[in-house]
Amino acid sequence: MMRFGSVISSPRGDLSLEQALVLANIYLENACKLQDHQVALVLCHDTEVSLSQMKKAAKGTKDRALHDGIVTIYSELSRLLNSYGYRSEAKAFQKKSENWRGRVHEPKPPAETICPISSMDSIKDTSHSTSVISLPLRPPPPPPSPPPPPTPTPPPHSSMGQRGDSVTLPLDIFPMNVGTRAMDFNPPEPDARLGNTTQLACSLEPLHARKDDTLHPAVTICPISNMDSIKDTSHSTSVISLPLPLPPPPPPHSSMGQREDSVTLPRDIFPMNVGTRAMDFNLPEPDARLGNTTQLAYCLGLLQDQQVLEDYNVDPTVRNWLRRIDHDERARLKKLATDVIRSFKITQFNDAKAIAEVLCLVPVIEKEDFRYLFKEFYMGIDQSVLLDDYQLEGFGQLIQYSYPGYLESDDLVKVLDLLASRLRDTHHQSTYYIHNLTKTVSYVLDAMADAGIKDLDREGTHEPLPSRKSGLGQYQLIAVPSEAGSSTLLDRVQVVQETTDIESRLRQLRRQRLRGHGSFVYIPPQAKASLQASDEHRFSLMEKVKEFLDSDKRVFLLLGGSDAGKSMFNRELELDLWQIYNKRTGSIPLYINLPGIDKPEQDLVAKQLRKAEFTESQILELKKFRKFILICDGYDESQPTHNLYTRNRLNQPGEWEAKMLICCRSEYLGVDYRDRFQPGDQSQSYLFEEAVILPFSQDQIHDYIRQYVSVHQPLWRAQDYKSVLDSIPGLKELVKNPFMMSLSLDVLPLDQAWLERGKKRLGEKNMSPQARAAFENLTDDGFTQNGIDFLERLSAQIYKEQDGQPIVEYSRFKDEGSWKAEFFSRGDEKQLLREACPLPRRGNQYKFIHRSFLEYGLALSIFDPQDWRNEHRGTSHEEVFKAEEGSASNSPLVWRNLVNEPSVLHFLEGRARQEPVFKRHLLEFVELSKTDKKWSTAAVNAITILVRAGMQFNGADLQGVQIPGADLSYGVFDSAQLQEADLENVNFCGAWLRQVDFTKARMGGVQFGELPQLTHGSDVLSCVYSPDGKSLSVSLKQGDIIVYSTSNWEKGQTLKGHDMPVWCTVYSPHGSQVASASSDMTVRLWDMDSGTCKEILTGHTERVNCVAFSPQGDQVASVSDDKTVRLWDIVTGDCRHILSGHTAEVSSVVYSPQDNLLATSSMDHTVRLWNIDSGECASILSDHNDKVLDVAFSPQCHQIVSASYDRTVRTWDADTGRCILVLSGHSSHVCSVAYSPKGDQIASGCEDGTVRLWDAETGMCHRTLTGHTSPIFSVVYSPKDDLVASGSGDKTVRLWDISVGASRSVSSRHIKGALCMKYSPEEGVVAARNSDNKIQLHDMETGALRRQLCGHSGTVFSAVYSPQGDQMASASADMTVRLWSIESGECQGTLTGHSKGVNYVVYSPKGDQIVSASNDGTVRLWDPASGDCRQTLSGHSEGVLFVAYSPGGYQIATCSADKTLRLWSVDTGDCSNILNGHSDKVRSAVYSPQGHQLASASDDTTVRIWDVDTGTCNMALTAHSRGVTRVRYSPESDLLASGGLDKTVRLWSVASGLCRAVVRNFQDSIFDITWSSTPEGNNLVTGCKDGSVFIWQVIEEGDLCRVSLRWGFTSDTVNVSGAMIQDVHGLSQSNARLLEQRGASGGSVDLLHETSKKLISLVRRSDTTITR
């Protein structure tokens, strides 16, 4: 130390620059020599202090040697500290060294540049960077004269008064902006660069408002703190104070008054409005990352003052921000502050930034955090070897800004003792430490005074100060800024929080998803239970999904058309679920766009969470502890090949716990689709549920329009939209689709759809000159047409190159030169067209906003009517097609098979209906395929579109057409010529193929939806499949059991032994044995290898109705009319148990698959469950109100199904015995019931001859199978679940292929229970009844339900239109006649008076009277206006079945079950004549147009013609083989048409009585006949009970009539009667047998209906043909 000499003994402030540099070098040299690191660190710090004293003066000189010396010292300090392990401090010194190395070459900073002045980071403009803002709290002493020793400054909440150099003014004396400041600066222009920080400070306004009745805070315009201040070097004396959010005011009982040199103004003079805050920040979005700690403090300060701020006119941005901050966000911000505080640790060489961060938060932290911080500072100062000036000053500020109650008196005493001790220890050290220690002591003493602590010894505590006054006078604090770019405490805390805080990340996700919803029109959709369910059984989809979420089910499949509104519903569901999300108990809704996920069958949830920017640790925690609701959209677009639920192992141990809702377009699913969705194996099918979105109802359409007008406020009113929708043909049906509804409303007020809107939007956009020029070029050339052309070409390329995958990835480097470059390169015109089209971009992916745009674009590329008209105006179709034949090969119709593209077909179907030229275009493709195979694909598409569009090919010349794989389901091809046609794999389900010539056609793989029936010589009482499905056993009424091979349906064994009817057969579990139950009171066991009877089990005393094997095959149960159940040992034949309890005949028995229960049904109206081991009755199910004929267990054992005479099928919970569902719809006794092998479907057979397939979950009827003509006694599924076999009293077994169906939903086409028809060339309506006693009015052309009339409580027997067509009358078993408004569907009146059911009702010719016929034997005449009964006609001895008015309305004829007709005078009510002659019930009668004849139809198979005047029978027409139901005269009265139960219609000559024509092969009995006159001649319209309607053209040719089908609306059963199948190729043996059974033949066909040899003739006729 001898080397120091006079330098050391001199105060540092007196040293020259050279001397200060020497001193620094001395300190450094000694530090390098020491082995003791602690002492060396002290010397290093002294080196830094010496440099700090000289730095400011050194900056003003250009002495290169001086600068080099400073550089060398800093470099050596960096090296030394690095060797000690203090890397961050070493790095800081190295940076200072680099900064000083370049100072000689730097320009002189401007005068107003502000030096670093605080331990808190200063505001620094780096264009866009954000740093912690310094909040200066005290100015340094102004040079050159030294100030007196610092006076302790009270904290803002101190009661000691204001400093003498300040003026206290109440806050509200200032108007909106704060008044004149001590320093004035030119205010900067908006967005201009500020000259210095002080200018920035003066541009900000202070705001801090608190409501307090005792003391109002004041605005301090002068320096307010001892901490570093902002100083403008161009003005020597002034500073600007920038206060933090103020602590609460002091308590009102403070005893110390205001200082004398301050002025206080009364509060009541203040205006209400307050200026803006001194410091302003961008307020962060909830859950967003904060830029710095001061921003966090600002936000917390606003939240603390929220109640006060709400009462002032604060900035709307602040007010809105406060209102958007919810409880979770408040908690997050507070936790951030706490985590920042808790991450702070006092260490050697603490970073000034860290201390500044925690001090910034002091006014807004809780007491616990303050106590932690206080403890850290205390321990740091107490335990540190080397005092740190930042710690000392920070500790002082912590104490200064402590809230009342945060500091205890004991704490302050301890702090004072510590500081006094350190002050004495530093007596001979640098004045630098003494200065800061003294300041801190002053803060502590002030705080102690505020706390009322007595006996303060200020002089003693400051005792070391007098001898150091001169040194303190020379001291000027200059803070060293922390290293630029280093992370802050807040940064580190936020990184940790973002990594670990799941709820914060979930809140961000929630807000992102809720923001993404925006405002849109939403109408809650209605749905039905399945594709096959009736539209009338609708329910709220949202309620159904909520029920699913509350249940134990796992997968919900939502189906619907391409634009049915599935995605809109998903958004609404997600919004609803996020709004009710509860982090403690709720499931997390996770929306997943499946097409955007690569391989969604693997790790689906984690992939979606990664896309949402969750970390791997967060994903792992979510997987372990959270539940999810997965909303999976776009299943059909992603086209996964596996079950998403099972492949992702959802709800398996250690896997994701989730429910899954999957949305898929119903058009893309085959018949057997549930395996692709349901969780687990078949035993878990009960965990699966589905629903189908229904089109908008009229009420929903009106609601949508009202909401649309309210939300978007277009130019049109709601009424304008409604009027247009009503006026445009077909548009009202189109807008039942939600997407098309939205699109239509957007487009209607404009001239050109979305492209016009896109054009307008682009025209208003700021563009570059090049883009503007491109836009003008496109506009000049027709912007909209260019856009449509772009859409067409792009859609076609996506289908051609990507097989219709809607997402296109484009990379400029990889895809340059490919087809993608034509659409996605950087050209201005292409970019404008992409913007105008709905083709948004995400990253390098482009995707249409909805797949329907892609499909619509493809349809336009096939046929754009506007484009076609523009190009071929004035040119004939034949000339155009011939000219374009060469280019037609580029059409997507040629290279893309569209049979499995239902949405594209839907668009094209509409085009074919509306554009005759497109229809002719399609027919030309069909014609071309006859001679050139290259047109085959186009022909397949063309004929599929035409059939869907309702075109009928009756008598068409289709010889040689090549249409393999075409979908011709439900097409009408009456008498068509298909010789040598390629029909391989064509779908003919439900097609009308009567008299079609298939000679030499290729028919391999064709599908008809049915297999050949098995015909027997006796009633079929039972049929059952073997367990392996290789055989089917049929038991007959005559006593035989016949076994068929299912491979070829050939007869195998015949088991003989029973001599009375065999009511039941059943296979053993392994299929080696069969048990049979018979009316001979025995059960027989048969060996299937030998076909011999092994055992006869006797004991029952009456007929045995049913038998069943136990699941193990060691036991047989049988039930009998003797009311008992017997359990038999298979090996010994002994009866083990007799179960008694039923009080009537026991009809059926079945074992539970688990072998623990036995179920039996009985004529006593009950089902009983028995415990097999004990023989006890475990439960009685007694909800049926009539005999129970059959019972079955579900494969999963949890449910039971039963069939009853009460016309219902019921399902039951096997555990509780509760009735779950009642399946209604059959019109007679239900005889048999069965579960499908998967348990998802139920089949029931009925005495009405129908088989119904029901959804086991919802109870909806999927399908009704018609064809049997007698009661069905047995139904059974094949083990493969693809066939249903039904055995009937008509001596047949029918085999229904339930795996085959049409590619489109046709359930709405079927009209069951038809009652009457109303037909004219302009309109066709069929009225039908359903099982709920409702009347449904169907469009005859499409089958669509127009109106439903509800009100009858009994079966509806008749319905008839009024002559004016505005009203309908209906007759019902409930003994009433009801009058209905056709327009509204409302019941306008109920006519009561009959004492039994009403069979028929009819209007008078003028419509002023109604006549009803009843089973009570009376006829009543009613006034339809008043509902009064005018007359009651009595005379018939039995029920009256029918009534008819004479043409003049003066007479009525009645038909009765008493076999007579009666003629009555309308005026008098007298019976003028009784017509006798029929030998059975008279079903109907009709007057001739002239009124002089009456024709009647009877169950005696005859039609009789009577003279009205004399009552004599002129002739009896006999040819029908069964009862005749309807007769009708032709308009000219020369022909009489009759139809009957024999499924034929006959035309009779009225003059001769000869039958002039017979129309055969209807699928069901005729219920109505009517005639219609057209310019081409007379049409005969026939309606069948199955809902099919046909229009026949009748042309008289001599003694015969030629009857040809013009149009037909068929049922769902294929009709091939009279078809020719000679020399066909590839037709399977099974299909050949089916066709032969249905009336096809291999011989020549009598072609009574010649057709044109050229298809063009069909084209010409098609313009006048009525289409569906």
Side-chain angles (χ1 to χ4, degrees), residues 640-657:
T641 57
H642 302 284
N643 186 313
L644 293 181
Y645 183 92
T646 56
R647 289 301 294 266
N648 280 281
R649 293 181 52 78
L650 298 180
N651 298 302
Q652 298 297 313
E655 300 295 337
W656 295 95
E657 187 174 353

Side-chain angles (χ1 to χ4, degrees), residues 1081 1098-1104 1120-1124 1126:
M1081 299 184 289
T1098 60
H1100 284 294
T1101 58
E1102 294 190 40
R1103 82 175 189 183
V1104 185
S1120 168
D1121 278 358
D1122 63 10
K1123 307 177 187 177
T1124 66
R1126 289 180 176 254

Side-chain angles (χ1 to χ4, degrees), residues 708 714-716 721 743-758 760:
Y708 180 89
L715 297 175
W716 284 15
Y721 285 106
L743 191 61
S744 298
L745 296 190
D746 285 346
V747 170
L748 277 177
L750 304 175
D751 192 27
Q752 297 288 341
W754 65 90
L755 285 170
E756 284 292 339
R757 297 202 311 276
K760 181 179 179 181

Side-chain angles (χ1 to χ4, degrees), residues 1351-1368:
H1352 282 297
S1353 59
T1355 303
V1356 181
F1357 293 130
S1358 172
V1360 63
Y1361 282 91
S1362 66
Q1364 294 77 22
D1366 60 343
Q1367 194 179 65
M1368 173 175 276

Side-chain angles (χ1 to χ4, degrees), residues 151 207 410 529 625 1340 1632:
T151 304
L207 167 64
D410 183 56
F625 303 111
M1340 188 184 292

